[in-house]
Amino acid sequence: MAKKFVSTLMSMLLLTYLSPKVYGEEIVVVEKEKPRIYTVEKGDSLSWIAKTMLGDGSRYMDIYELNKDKITDPNLIEIGMKLKLPRVIFKKGDYENGKTLYFGQIHSHSNLSDGKGDIDEAYEYAKDVARLDFFAVTDHSNSFDNELKANIADGSMSEEWKKGQEIANKFNEPGIFTAIYAYEMTWSATTGQWGHITTYNTPGFETRNNKDIDLKNYYEILTTQPMSISQFNHPGITFGNFANYTFYSKEADKVINLIEVVNNKVPSYDEYTQALDMGWHLAPTNNQDNHNGKWGTEDSGRTVVEAKELTRDSIFDAIRNMRVYATEDENLEISYELNGNTMGSILNAQEQLNFDIKVEDPDTTDVVSTIELITDGGKIQEAIIGDLNLEEWKFSLNPDDVADSTYFYVKIMQKDKDVAVTAPIWIGDKENIGISSFTASSNKVIIDNDVTVDTVIYNNEDVLLENIKVEYLLNGESVITKNIDNIAPSEQENTSAKIKITKAGNNTIEAIVTAVINGAERKYTENINVVGVKLDEVTAIIIDGSKKNAYVSDNYKNNMNFITKIVNENDGIVKVNLEPITDELLTNYDLLIITDPGVTGEFENYNKEELNAIKKFVERGGNLIITSKGDYGDEKGLYGNAAQANAILKVIGATVRLNDAQLTDDEQNGGQNYKLYLDNFNKDSIYTNGIDFIGISKEQPNNKYSSFGGTSVLIKNPLTTEIIVSGHDTTKNIDNDKQNDLEEDENTVALAIETLPNGSKIAVAGSTFFSDFEMDPSSKYSNPIIATNILKELAPKKTKIITPIADIYVDKDNDNIPDLIDKVYTVEGIVTAGNAIDNNKFLDIVYLQDKTGGIAIMPISELKLKEGQKVQVTGTIKDYEGNLVLGDIVENIDVHIIDDGINPLKPTILSTGNTMLENNQGLLVKTTGIVTKIGDKESGNIFIDDGSGEAKIYIDEYIGSGLGIENDIFNNVNLGDTITVIGLSSENPDGNRIRVKNIDELVIIKD
């Protein structure tokens, strides 16, 4: 609904069904929680209804026009009539001082492409049910008829494109509802996987099926339509992030104005910052990308614009000038100004930076918890804490103090976790060159194996970038250097290097890029961490890509990221293999994954030697996942999809086979009869454990198994084979390749697991159900749950050797260096100092303790550990500021909560002197003594002694009361007082200490 943003000091009037807001002397009526249908009562007239319900009695004719099917004369209405009500129109007022906000959605689909529901239904639903101010249907252009005959300047040859425009025009009502029809350009993996872009306000459209149009060409095409608007959709790993936002040009920057920071509740705020850092001028949006109806009600997200009026031209003008913000809350109102200029403004040098931010949620229970001012690199420049639904924040910055900043945007977080971000306000330019991405092929690598690192360098300037050198350092030592002559304007280059990991534990790989632009040298650095592991200590999985396998090395290549992440988090490692399979290669691996061999270029299949190696692997107890695809356009003989897989299944002694068919369903599908969402699960199987069977509905793909372009699995021995997922009653096999090689099978099984006589398990699927497309959390399919269950069963976590904490401190040769220093070990213990309470946690350090001793583990920042939980941690023994720690922790891989229960340990009671001993380091201790010296709050030191020797109590400045009470210990303590303290026996460069984790655990006992 449109909102008029007003000062936080303005009063609010209450009327029946209405919540007017006062702006100056003008009353602006805002629609709030009132029905869209009004039932006529005795004494009513249209003018009275208009005045009461719309705030303007003169609008009685608007009600009449909407209800001509019931009312023949505006002066004659009958009791009991149910009348439709138009939307509230704001009085114009002073737009420059007030802000009219309009709430909408601009990314959705209908059955003109791959969405469900007629386009008429979409606009009607968005207007009357979701009650949006503006709404765009953006169907995939590659689905339109005559797509290759159309172009961006003329789409008249497509009846579907014309229909979309006509229906949008029919529903478009200036001042009431803005309806927009546009298109989405969707490059798939086979057409570059650049990403998806929605383009608005053009007479025609382009299609990905025009093979001449890549991302850079598309940017050039957009510039031919200067009044067009485009949006980067759902940027990220799954669909693409637009070549890391390269190919920038000033002309393209003018017509690409938006980026989705949330798509169907899946956030990509980091991508927003990355695009801004690379020079793009963009505003954020929050859209639902509706494919299954519920246009505007799928979630509470909204794209909000500041516009002069509710018309297409005004909405487009607001977007073009980036007067836009994205919110996860359906009615959050934001005003953001810098020196009187609103969000989206591009300013020249400013003598002073005066910020004015107002945030209001009409729902009084929706409290604003924080407001942050974000600048380049995602840095929080300023922030405040809020505790109301209405906050106003004014402050100033000296430009000299933020000389490295080129933009500022506002981020709001509410108590209910909803997030909103505004468009930036820009105050300068910077050189748009540097490293856009630095990645490793795996974040965990077997020792003495290579990891491949890729560095993408971009040049978003309009001059040549020259003399580029990329130097790679491993743990501080230079290992390899790559050179690039130059990078042209609006281009990027990728350099790859293989680096051997030789050290167990954390390895830091750094890329140092030097380059010359306009005669001046520039330097950029990035680093990543790779964990080195011993093969016999981890579960090892090999994904084969030696035969141009689908989703691995050929069709839709490099789409095994999510499954790799699951394996890594389960303490496993993944190797993508591009070499011929040999018995030696498969040695020490636990699971082999083979997806459908590719058909690009020269055909390949697994030869006899490779089949024999796979056979030996399985005979040794190795497990196998093998997938295929439907027979659409299939090759004949040995190169057929099913034939490739069945040759492997036969040689290993499996009875299950893959059908030479296409699994289809003409009634229950996701838009095409080969795009299946299946819900016929084996509910008793361990592999379906965790699926919300109750939450499955016919209308949505949520919790269903996605099978895209697959075939069926033929069950030959039900005694040894467990069916996991099957088709519906309407699902069938068809002989799509017309080779008469389909095997009729009424079961239409999509996924099954066979157990061989030696115990090896073979998972067989008719489609690659674990590709990134199905595993992306935003998909909401059951595939991630099933894949995780299969991986845990077929590639179980290996039992780690647990080292007693006391052994870590052993120094047999008395050289003051622990014998295990710089080695990787695993410990288990109870958390004695966690990080779940903000003012009772240490900076990135958590302590734990077993029966033998205690130790600090670091870094821990994101994973919240509570005092009393039992955890297992793997890390490298290191010296940190004189304190022995278990370091180089990769939280999501190396730390596992064994027991969520809270069973805190009692502190070890020691004399003051003993708390300072090396052999008690890391323990949670308690002691009592008389105050002998008092430092100031900055030093954090208080000294006590019970006669056994002096102990130093140390309090970090950020440590406070766990009860939230004021407790300024340094103002309350005096010499001669007795103190009882609980803390961690530890050490820093200043010596031994008792480190306090909660002020409440330091008690002054007065005489």
Side-chain angles (χ1 to χ4, degrees):
M1 295 173 288
K3 302 282 186 182
K4 191 82 169 183
F5 195 99
V6 294
S7 169
T8 60
L9 301 178
M10 302 291 182
S11 61
M12 297 181 68
L13 302 178
L14 297 176
L15 293 176
T16 304
Y17 299 120
L18 296 176
S19 176
K21 295 186 177 181
V22 179
Y23 186 87
E25 296 181 353
E26 175 196 7
I27 295 179
V28 183
V29 180
V30 180
E31 203 173 11
K32 183 174 176 62
E33 302 299 329
K34 73 173 189 293
R36 293 284 291 158
I37 302 295
Y38 179 83
T39 303
V40 177
E41 298 178 355
K42 184 177 180 180
D44 284 351
S45 66
L46 285 188
S47 61
W48 185 91
I49 295 170
K51 181 178 180 180
T52 304
M53 301 302 295
L54 306 179
D56 185 353
S58 66
R59 293 196 63 200
Y60 74 94
M61 285 301 291
D62 292 340
I63 302 176
Y64 170 66
E65 291 294 330
L66 274 179
N67 296 276
K68 279 186 174 180
D69 57 332
K70 299 184 184 73
I71 305 172
T72 56
D73 185 334
N75 296 309
L76 298 175
I77 56 176
E78 299 176 6
I79 297 173
M81 275 185 173
K82 294 186 180 299
L83 304 180
K84 295 178 184 177
L85 296 177
R87 293 174 164 266
V88 170
I89 297 177
F90 290 99
K91 296 179 181 178
K92 287 186 170 54
D94 181 359
Y95 173 76
E96 297 305 321
N97 293 318
K99 293 182 186 296
T100 309
L101 304 178
Y102 295 103
F103 290 66
Q105 286 280 305
I106 57 172
H107 183 183
S108 68
H109 299 274
S110 73
N111 60 12
L112 287 179
S113 60
D114 63 346
K116 289 187 177 180
D118 293 334
I119 187 169
D120 300 72
E121 182 185 356
Y123 287 116
E124 188 171 6
Y125 189 100
K127 177 184 177 185
D128 295 328
V129 179
R131 297 165 64 190
L132 300 177
D133 294 317
F134 60 93
F135 174 68
V137 177
T138 54
D139 283 310
H140 298 298
S141 57
N142 54 290
S143 296
F144 295 145
D145 62 301
N146 289 325
E147 47 161 338
L148 289 173
K149 295 181 180 178
N151 58 59
I152 200 167
D154 184 5
S156 62
M157 57 290 299
S158 169
E159 294 301 319
E160 289 172 323
W161 170 254
K162 290 195 296 184
K163 178 181 178 180
Q165 299 292 344
E166 290 167 3
I167 301 302
N169 290 337
K170 182 179 79 172
F171 280 90
N172 189 56
E173 299 179 73
I176 297 175
F177 178 71
T178 296
I180 300 164
Y181 193 71
Y183 70 92
E184 186 175 13
M185 187 76 165
T186 58
W187 288 278
S188 65
T190 55
T191 52
Q193 199 173 354
W194 302 109
H196 295 187
I197 293 178
T198 299
T199 297
Y200 311 83
N201 199 33
T202 58
F205 62 91
E206 300 291 347
T207 172
R208 74 182 187 196
N209 291 328
N210 182 344
K211 305 303 182 184
D212 294 331
I213 300 180
D214 59 14
L215 182 63
K216 189 175 182 182
N217 290 338
Y218 191 61
Y219 288 173
E220 294 172 358
I221 289 170
L222 291 178
T223 63
T224 67
Q225 302 294 317
M227 298 305 290
S228 69
I229 291 167
S230 283
Q231 170 179 273
F232 291 132
N233 291 342
H234 41 65
I237 192 172
T238 302
F239 296 102
N241 70 343
F242 315 98
N244 293 303
Y245 306 103
T246 49
F247 307 148
Y248 171 93
S249 70
K250 292 179 180 178
E251 291 74 22
D253 192 36
K254 293 175 183 177
V255 290
I256 301 176
N257 318 89
L258 303 171
I259 182 170
E260 280 185 339
V261 296
V262 180
N263 177 284
N264 196 10
K265 294 188 281 192
V266 178
S268 53
Y269 295 109
D270 288 346
E271 296 284 342
Y272 175 39
T273 300
Q274 182 183 350
L276 295 176
D277 285 343
M278 296 184 68
W280 291 94
H281 294 83
L282 301 167
T285 65
N286 183 319
N287 297 306
Q288 295 171 8
D289 196 4
N290 307 87
H291 282 76
N292 298 283
K294 295 186 178 180
W295 300 273
T297 63
E298 181 74 23
D299 58 56
S300 59
R302 294 291 183 266
T303 295
V304 187
V305 302
E306 293 178 12
K308 295 182 180 180
E309 56 187 355
L310 188 55
T311 64
R312 272 190 199 158
D313 286 345
S314 186
I315 295 294
F316 283 153
D317 177 73
I319 292 174
R320 200 173 287 114
N321 289 285
M322 295 172 289
R323 300 193 300 270
V324 183
Y325 65 87
T327 171
E328 295 174 20
D329 181 284
E330 71 277 5
N331 59 357
L332 184 68
E333 303 169 23
I334 303 171
S335 171
Y336 166 41
E337 294 182 353
L338 171 57
N339 294 345
N341 300 282
T342 194
M343 65 184 80
S345 299
I346 302 174
L347 310 178
N348 296 319
Q350 303 291 298
E351 293 182 1
Q352 185 71 14
L353 302 176
N354 300 311
F355 292 90
D356 187 350
I357 301 165
K358 302 185 186 77
V359 181
E360 180 177 355
D361 194 313
D363 303 314
T364 56
T365 56
D366 278 356
V367 173
V368 175
S369 57
T370 61
I371 306 175
E372 297 173 345
L373 185 71
I374 309 294
T375 188
D376 301 51
K379 174 186 173 184
I380 301 174
Q381 183 65 47
E382 302 287 332
I384 62 167
I385 304 297
D387 57 5
L388 298 171
N389 68 309
L390 186 154
E391 298 286 348
E392 184 168 2
W393 184 25
K394 293 185 178 183
F395 62 98
S396 298
L397 294 175
N398 186 327
D400 293 337
D401 295 335
V402 289
D404 293 333
S405 295
T406 60
Y407 64 83
F408 298 96
Y409 68 83
V410 176
K411 180 178 182 180
I412 294 102
M413 284 165 283
Q414 295 181 280
K415 190 174 181 181
D416 61 4
K417 308 301 183 184
D418 283 342
V419 176
V421 293
T422 71
I425 297 176
W426 286 266
I427 61 168
D429 294 320
K430 62 182 176 183
E431 284 183 340
N432 294 314
I433 58 175
I435 301 171
S436 62
S437 73
F438 181 42
T439 58
S441 55
S442 177
N443 61 5
K444 186 180 284 189
V445 177
I446 299 167
I447 295 172
D448 292 330
N449 277 21
D450 292 336
V451 62
T452 300
V453 291
D454 289 282
T455 308
V456 179
I457 305 161
Y458 71 97
N459 178 16
N460 278 354
E461 290 294 322
D462 54 8
V463 295
L464 205 64
L465 187 64
E466 301 176 291
N467 302 328
I468 303 136
K469 181 177 76 171
V470 186
E471 182 182 14
Y472 293 100
L473 280 66
L474 175 64
N475 299 320
E477 298 291 330
S478 180
V479 289
I480 191 171
T481 299
K482 300 276 186 170
N483 294 291
I484 303 171
D485 289 338
N486 58 68
I487 301 177
S490 301
E491 292 286 356
Q492 64 175 1
E493 290 287 342
N494 176 60
T495 67
S496 292
K498 288 186 177 181
I499 297 175
K500 181 177 286 189
I501 300 300
T502 57
K503 180 174 78 75
N506 197 58
N507 293 265
T508 300
I509 302 174
E510 185 175 16
I512 302 174
V513 176
T514 55
V516 174
I517 188 165
N518 292 322
E521 186 174 271
R522 298 288 182 262
K523 183 177 181 179
Y524 305 91
T525 63
E526 293 282 351
N527 62 71
I528 50 179
N529 292 316
V530 175
V531 177
V533 296
K534 298 176 182 177
L535 184 55
D536 59 356
E537 293 180 347
V538 295
T539 299
I541 296 170
I542 186 166
I543 301 176
D544 191 44
S546 65
K547 302 296 179 289
K548 300 177 181 175
N549 302 74
Y551 302 99
V552 182
S553 54
D554 188 49
N555 198 20
Y556 301 104
K557 66 181 180 180
N558 299 324
N559 272 287
M560 292 284 119
N561 295 288
F562 282 107
I563 200 167
T564 298
K565 182 173 182 286
I566 290 172
V567 172
N568 288 162
E569 291 177 351
N570 198 39
D571 276 348
I573 61 104
V574 172
K575 176 182 175 66
V576 174
N577 172 60
L578 301 176
E579 305 298 326
I581 288 179
T582 64
D583 187 38
E584 181 182 12
L585 174 70
L586 298 180
T587 300
N588 294 322
Y589 282 92
D590 303 284
L591 174 65
L592 170 62
I593 298 177
I594 299 177
T595 64
D596 187 66
V599 295
T600 310
E602 295 182 6
F603 301 127
E604 296 183 53
N605 63 1
Y606 292 93
N607 59 37
K608 290 182 179 180
E609 290 77 13
E610 291 175 305
L611 291 174
N612 190 50
I614 297 171
K615 177 183 178 183
K616 289 181 178 180
F617 166 76
V618 173
E619 288 174 345
R620 289 195 299 268
N623 297 318
L624 175 66
I625 298 176
I626 187 165
T627 67
S628 188
K629 64 180 179 182
D631 67 343
Y632 176 76
D634 202 6
E635 294 299 317
K636 295 182 179 180
L638 295 175
Y639 298 111
N641 300 321
Q644 292 263 27
N646 289 337
I648 297 171
L649 294 170
K650 180 180 179 181
V651 76
I652 64 174
T655 63
V656 70
R657 294 290 186 270
L658 283 153
N659 206 349
D660 196 323
Q662 181 92 48
L663 201 60
T664 62
D665 198 313
D666 294 330
E667 298 181 26
Q668 301 183 62
N669 59 61
Q672 292 88 22
N673 68 353
Y674 55 84
K675 187 176 183 179
L676 306 185
Y677 299 136
L678 307 176
D679 55 19
N680 188 6
F681 297 108
N682 179 350
K683 297 180 181 180
D684 297 323
S685 173
I686 61 172
Y687 302 109
T688 60
N689 185 38
I691 298 174
D692 180 12
F693 301 118
I694 297 175
I696 293 173
S697 66
K698 289 184 179 180
E699 293 76 20
Q700 302 288 342
N702 298 13
N703 305 305
K704 296 183 181 180
Y705 175 89
S706 173
S707 175
F708 183 85
T711 184
S712 62
V713 181
L714 301 170
I715 309 301
K716 304 295 184 180
N717 187 349
L719 297 178
T720 62
T721 307
E722 181 182 3
I723 296 173
I724 312 302
V725 187
S726 300
H728 305 112
D729 293 338
T730 51
T731 307
K732 60 184 178 181
N733 290 294
I734 63 171
D735 185 21
N736 222 332
D737 62 4
K738 311 298 182 185
Q739 295 181 23
N740 299 316
D741 46 12
L742 171 152
E743 183 172 333
E744 294 293 344
D745 180 38
E746 62 182 19
N747 292 320
T748 59
V749 174
L751 171 64
I753 296 179
E754 181 173 7
T755 303
L756 300 184
N758 72 337
S760 291
K761 295 184 181 297
I762 315 300
V764 185
S767 65
T768 304
F769 66 95
F770 46 80
S771 77
D772 286 349
F773 299 99
E774 277 72 27
M775 297 288 284
D776 189 323
S778 66
S779 69
K780 303 175 186 176
Y781 306 141
S782 62
N783 298 50
I785 296 173
I786 294 173
T788 301
N789 291 337
I790 290 175
L791 288 171
K792 287 183 177 179
E793 185 70 15
L794 274 61
K797 185 188 301 184
K798 289 186 177 176
T799 303
K800 290 190 179 263
I801 299 171
I802 306 302
T803 300
I805 291 176
D807 290 358
I808 289 173
Y809 293 92
V810 170
D811 179 14
K812 291 181 180 179
D813 56 9
N814 294 313
D815 62 354
N816 205 31
I817 299 175
D819 298 341
L820 304 185
I821 198 79
D822 292 330
K823 292 183 172 60
V824 177
Y825 285 91
T826 300
V827 301
E828 285 184 359
I830 303 296
V831 176
T832 53
N835 64 345
I837 301 174
D838 284 344
N839 58 346
N840 291 164
K841 66 180 183 180
F842 302 125
L843 185 62
D844 292 348
I845 292 179
V846 168
Y847 286 79
L848 76 157
Q849 184 173 316
D850 66 8
K851 293 180 180 179
T852 69
I855 194 168
I857 59 176
M858 63 180 295
I860 302 289
S861 58
E862 298 300 322
L863 179 65
K864 299 305 177 187
L865 298 178
K866 298 176 182 178
E867 186 175 334
Q869 287 180 323
K870 186 175 183 180
V871 299
Q872 181 187 97
V873 184
T874 301
T876 305
I877 312 302
K878 301 178 77 71
D879 182 285
Y880 177 70
E881 295 185 342
N883 206 47
L884 203 63
V885 301
L886 197 62
D888 291 345
I889 302 296
V890 181
E891 293 176 59
N892 64 335
I893 296 174
D894 295 326
V895 183
H896 301 280
I897 299 173
I898 299 172
D899 186 352
D900 267 322
I902 305 300
N903 300 294
L905 292 178
K906 292 182 178 180
T908 302
I909 299 175
L910 298 174
S911 65
T912 55
N914 284 340
T915 62
M916 299 292 98
L917 297 179
E918 290 281 343
N919 60 0
N920 289 322
Q921 191 179 108
L923 288 178
L924 180 68
V925 299
K926 179 178 181 180
T927 193
T928 301
I930 297 172
V931 177
T932 58
K933 288 186 289 188
I934 304 171
D936 56 21
K937 190 171 184 178
E938 186 176 344
S939 74
N941 297 329
I942 299 173
F943 295 85
I944 62 173
D945 195 340
D946 63 0
S948 64
E950 198 171 55
K952 180 173 68 175
I953 299 171
Y954 177 74
I955 309 166
D956 292 280
E957 276 193 86
Y958 50 80
I959 294 296
S961 165
L963 299 175
I965 60 177
E966 289 294 329
N967 193 348
D968 188 349
I969 198 74
F970 288 93
N971 282 334
N972 296 332
V973 69
N974 296 297
L975 290 174
D977 286 344
T978 299
I979 284 182
T980 294
V981 62
I982 297 173
L984 286 306
S985 178
S986 62
E987 188 176 353
N988 69 2
D990 295 328
N992 293 85
R993 60 187 179 167
I994 301 171
R995 194 176 189 187
V996 176
K997 59 184 171 64
N998 182 350
I999 286 290
D1000 301 333
E1001 294 178 335
L1002 197 157
V1003 179
I1004 303 171
I1005 304 171
K1006 299 283 187 180
D1007 291 336

